[in-house]
Amino acid sequence: MHVQPGSGIYFVFVAAVFFAYWASAGSRLLRLAVILLANYLFCARFGLFYVLLLPVCSSLDFLIGLGLMRAGRPPIRRVLVALSVGLNLSVLVVSRHMGVLLNRHGWDWIFPLGLSFYTFQSLTYTIDLYRRDGEGTTSLLSYLSAVTFFPTLQAGPITRVTELVKQLGARPALGRADGGRAFFLIGIGLLKKALIADYLAENLVNRVFDTPKLYSGAEVLIAVYAYSLQLYYDFSGYTDIARGSAMLLGIRLPINFDRPYASANVTEFWRRWHMSFSNWLRDYLYFSLPGVRGRIMPYVNLVITMLLGGLWHGVTWTFAIWGLLHGTALAATRGWLAWRGRPKQPASPWRHALAVGGTYHFVCLTWIFFRAGSVADAMTILGRIGSLTASFENVTALFAAVLLVGAGAMFAGKQWYALAMEWFAGRPFYVHAAALLLVAVAIQFLGGRGNAPFVYSRF
Amino acid sequence: MHEFPLQTGLTIATVGLLLAGLRLVAPAGKGPETRHFAVIVDFSDSVALSPLSPHKEPEAALVPKLPAGKLSLLDDSAGVLDHFYAALWRTEKREEGAVTRIVHYGDSPTTADLITGDVRVQLQKRFGDAGHGFLLVAKPWAWYQHTGADVSGSGWQMAPASRFVSHDGMFGLGGVSFTGSGSARSRMVFGNGGYTQFEAWYLRLPGGGEFSLWADGRALGRVDTAGDSKAPGFAAFRTESATAELEIHVERGSVRVFGITAEGPGPGVVYDSLGLNGASITVLSRMYNEQHWAEELQHRNPALVIVNYGTNEADFAEFVDRQYEKELRDALRRIHTALPEASVLVMSPMDRGRRNGGEIETMPTIPRIVEIQKRVARETGCGFFDTYAAMGGEGTMARWYAARPRMVSADLIHPYPGTGKMIAGIFTREIGAGLGRYKLRVVGR
């Protein structure tokens, strides 16, 4: 049984870690040991081999980090960072793609806990040290507890290890309001996942993407809209739970989403969608490519960066097309803004709405490739939409209501969200407890579907 | 103790206690259990020691779990399918003009020609291809499709029998009435070289207009649908060479058309796949005008009528327990009355799953429907094919949904095309076995 974030056992696990952590908070050594033990217990539930693999890889990166902290000569620093990049990319590639080779020889190769987010997080440390962008640590315990910090391990948010090391090393504190904020995030994350994302997935999206020919063009289009919301609520729900879990330990993780479908162009979309990933791509991939300050290369690099970002999700034509579409759109937006110059006045509301609508529909187009099993499936879905047939027999009133609520909540001003969080954070513990109980009951009786894996947990 | 966050700790403890208490009130509810703590540190279960393991074939989801002692998935005892077997044997012996027609009424999978399309292909491969059979003249649902034929139409007002609006109950053989005037057009393209015999099925009615048929772009003939009263009308046409593309144009006034049959000279099998989305047995027992439907069936004169409903009824437990049997008996009585000689086969629904607390389970009404069908079929002189058992019985949808690659859609109702082909294979195998038993009986007389 995996400790899947959002599941009952995950919260029992978090509660146990909470009490152990704060009981030992007076001693830095003890509380780091608690975090490290929690990290490895979390991994071990997916496979005992992680408890061997991760400490070995992490310790090697730690040693490389020590080398980077001490080495002054650029060639040595380059060799060290190349070693770290090679090590982490090897872990990433071997864990995800070795199965294809081994299956031909009668073996299965299974990594139930994807290591993508671990390797991304791990690389932030050595690359930051190489660029002298962060402070390293000489404490192996501190490094190990940060690089495999369990709330971020499965699907982020990707957090700079230097930042985690700093937070874990500091004397922890958790006021009543922060505790309330953590519960608010966990509760909202659960509701997003179970009542919106899973509902949309199970009641139309999965069916339509499985057998699009059984649905009218209008229903397929609605399913694509629903998938855009499903993905947002699934992933941002996961992030909320991860951030809330970390906050219970006094650790602050970065936000990952900021109403992304309200973006007026694709560049803005990537500043608001999976922000820790797009920041990682920008900081560690895009800026590492040659010709950043050239005239043409920045555009080419954008396409290359997004193509690689697409292929990170899986080496398939669908993800490649998804990445290429986004890369091309980012390059086109950059070119357009460079040619037109930054607007001196804000766009009129109508023009802004048009831009938001256009961007949203472009993103939906790319989601078709992201979700479809093959390019042929994606073309079938596009063909169904293009058939312009309209019937709504598979779209129930409840489904439409959930879709509208999801869309409305997505576009609601974030000040409302912040106000609600602060109001909730200021309530006494029994109000927090009652609210969490209500969330649990609502999910059991309204959701009633168990907990499906988070979409991004497979990457 | 270092500034323990008491308020937050109290919240966690209170939620834990409340959820544990809730389990006492509602035992089905989920809450923390002591075993959850144990699970975190218990690695004795399936937690892998290595990412590398010898390849194991997935659990054989396809193997039907037949009840002990059951010999066949097809119950054709007492010679209830002999009329059909006799026709099929004549076809197999390639007797001149021996065409075996099968009419298959079903719900949404049949609408998309899932299973039926493969049954048609498999039977025609063995017994010969005598034509595609009945086709609606437009798509009442986006997913109306037939293997080997492409249908498109525009300008028609469509009234399917499954919409629970009976009108006059005249829905033709296929269950959908198409009303069209000047702008109405239909086009059918046949994949395997085309056919030479076509028949237009329509309604004669006072003031009825005129429509024309076009074969590969050439005029085939015109049909005047005017009549003294509402009555089924049929207009047959032959082409000298195989026609791959057939068109219908409304030429004058308003017409009501039901469909087209496309056939060849035979010998062979013709398999009419008549699927209505969302249909239940009440389409046959109530929605159809009995006299009209009887005339349509008599004109078609099939050797076998298959009644394949039950999936949509599964949503209504009270209907299943109180009303379903009566409706099924009424439908079968109507068919027997219209076609006293023809064989009738009740084909059970497939398994249908539903999600319950994260688990996929068989809808409890499905096995009840299957049992009713089995009993009623036996008592009314019909054959019975147990699709549910053929799939593997209870829990099949869960197994097929979990299979990699998946075998059914996420709605836990519709099989993927490959799965439909597999079920079709089991069905045609049983038909073949039944034919073999029939031959042995006949030869032994």
Side-chain angles (χ1 to χ4, degrees), chain B residues 6-28:
Chain B
L6 194 63
Q7 294 283 327
T8 310
L10 273 172
T11 306
I12 293 174
T14 308
V15 173
L17 286 171
L18 285 172
L19 281 172
L22 195 66
R23 284 178 63 85
L24 297 175
V25 183

Side-chain angles (χ1 to χ4, degrees), chain A residues 267 282 285-306 326-335 338:
Chain A
T267 306
R282 182 196 63 202
L285 182 56
Y286 176 76
F287 285 142
S288 302
L289 293 171
V292 174
R293 298 189 189 283
R295 280 174 61 87
I296 303 297
M297 280 314 286
Y299 299 96
V300 177
N301 288 349
L302 276 173
V303 178
I304 292 171
T305 301
M306 291 311 294
H326 273 288
T328 309
L330 282 170
T333 308
R334 183 187 170 112

Side-chain angles (χ1 to χ4, degrees), chain A residues 44-45 48 106 108 210 214 444, chain B residues 30 42 48 53 55 143 406:
Chain A
R45 291 305 318 165
L48 283 170
D108 286 331
D210 275 353
L214 295 182
Q444 281 191 38
Chain B
K30 289 174 191 163
D42 178 9
S53 59
H55 179 66
W143 53 93
R406 266 177 35 200

Side-chain angles (χ1 to χ4, degrees), chain B residues 354-390:
Chain B
R354 70 176 185 189
R355 290 179 173 84
N356 184 8
E359 299 295 324
I360 296 172
E361 62 181 21
T362 290
M363 287 183 78
T365 41
I366 287 288
R368 303 212 295 264
I369 288 170
V370 174
E371 276 312 306
I372 293 170
Q373 290 180 340
K374 194 182 293 181
R375 181 164 44 78
V376 170
R378 198 178 303 127
E379 291 170 6
T380 55
C382 298
F384 177 72
F385 179 74
D386 198 338
T387 323
Y388 176 66

Side-chain angles (χ1 to χ4, degrees), chain A residues 10-83:
Chain A
Y10 174 79
F11 289 115
V12 170
F13 173 75
V14 169
V17 173
F18 172 86
F19 285 108
Y21 179 80
W22 289 106
S24 57
S27 158
R28 177 181 170 278
L29 199 68
L30 263 180
R31 68 170 187 269
L32 287 178
V34 167
I35 293 287
L36 188 62
L37 181 67
N39 293 349
Y40 290 157
L41 271 177
F42 179 83
C43 298
R45 291 305 318 165
F46 291 86
L48 283 170
F49 55 88
Y50 288 109
V51 182
L52 184 64
L53 179 72
L54 288 177
V56 168
C57 294
S58 308
S59 298
L60 285 172
D61 265 323
F62 172 73
L63 291 174
I64 291 170
L66 281 182
L68 283 165
M69 286 160 69
R70 283 167 193 173
R73 293 177 58 199
I76 294 175
R77 295 177 64 79
R78 273 199 292 274
V79 168
L80 286 171
V81 80
L83 264 177

Side-chain angles (χ1 to χ4, degrees), chain A residues 207-220:
Chain A
R207 294 161 56 184
V208 168
F209 276 88
D210 275 353
T211 45
K213 286 182 179 172
L214 295 182
Y215 300 89
S216 68
E219 286 171 337
V220 174

Side-chain angles (χ1 to χ4, degrees), chain B residues 151-301:
Chain B
V151 177
S152 57
S154 60
W156 299 100
Q157 276 188 327
M158 299 179 246
S162 52
R163 289 221 176 120
F164 299 101
V165 181
S166 70
H167 302 293
D168 53 12
M170 296 185 180
F171 298 107
L173 184 72
V176 185
S177 171
F178 298 84
T179 304
S181 50
S183 63
R185 293 274 188 284
S186 288
R187 183 167 173 262
M188 289 149 213
V189 180
F190 301 100
N192 58 346
Y195 300 100
T196 53
Q197 298 169 17
F198 298 96
E199 190 164 30
W201 296 55
Y202 61 96
L203 190 72
R204 299 172 67 83
L205 72 170
E210 200 175 30
F211 66 91
S212 60
L213 269 78
W214 298 73
D216 287 335
R218 288 193 296 272
L220 198 58
R222 290 168 78 104
V223 179
D224 187 349
T225 68
D228 297 333
S229 60
K230 285 183 178 176
F234 312 97
F237 298 90
R238 282 176 187 264
T239 56
E240 287 179 6
S241 57
T243 293
E245 185 180 315
L246 191 77
E247 285 187 52
I248 299 173
H249 300 172
V250 176
E251 300 291 347
R252 176 178 57 78
S254 174
V255 301
R256 263 178 81 176
V257 179
F258 300 130
I260 291 284
T261 52
E263 296 191 5
V269 166
V270 179
Y271 201 100
D272 295 334
S273 175
L274 308 176
L276 299 180
N277 186 56
S280 67
I281 193 67
T282 50
V283 164
L284 304 187
S285 64
R286 287 169 183 249
M287 303 311 292
Y288 261 114
N289 175 306
E290 186 170 358
Q291 176 64 27
H292 167 80
W293 188 37
E295 289 174 31
E296 296 281 315
L297 283 172
Q298 284 157 4
H299 184 75
R300 191 62 175 146
N301 191 25

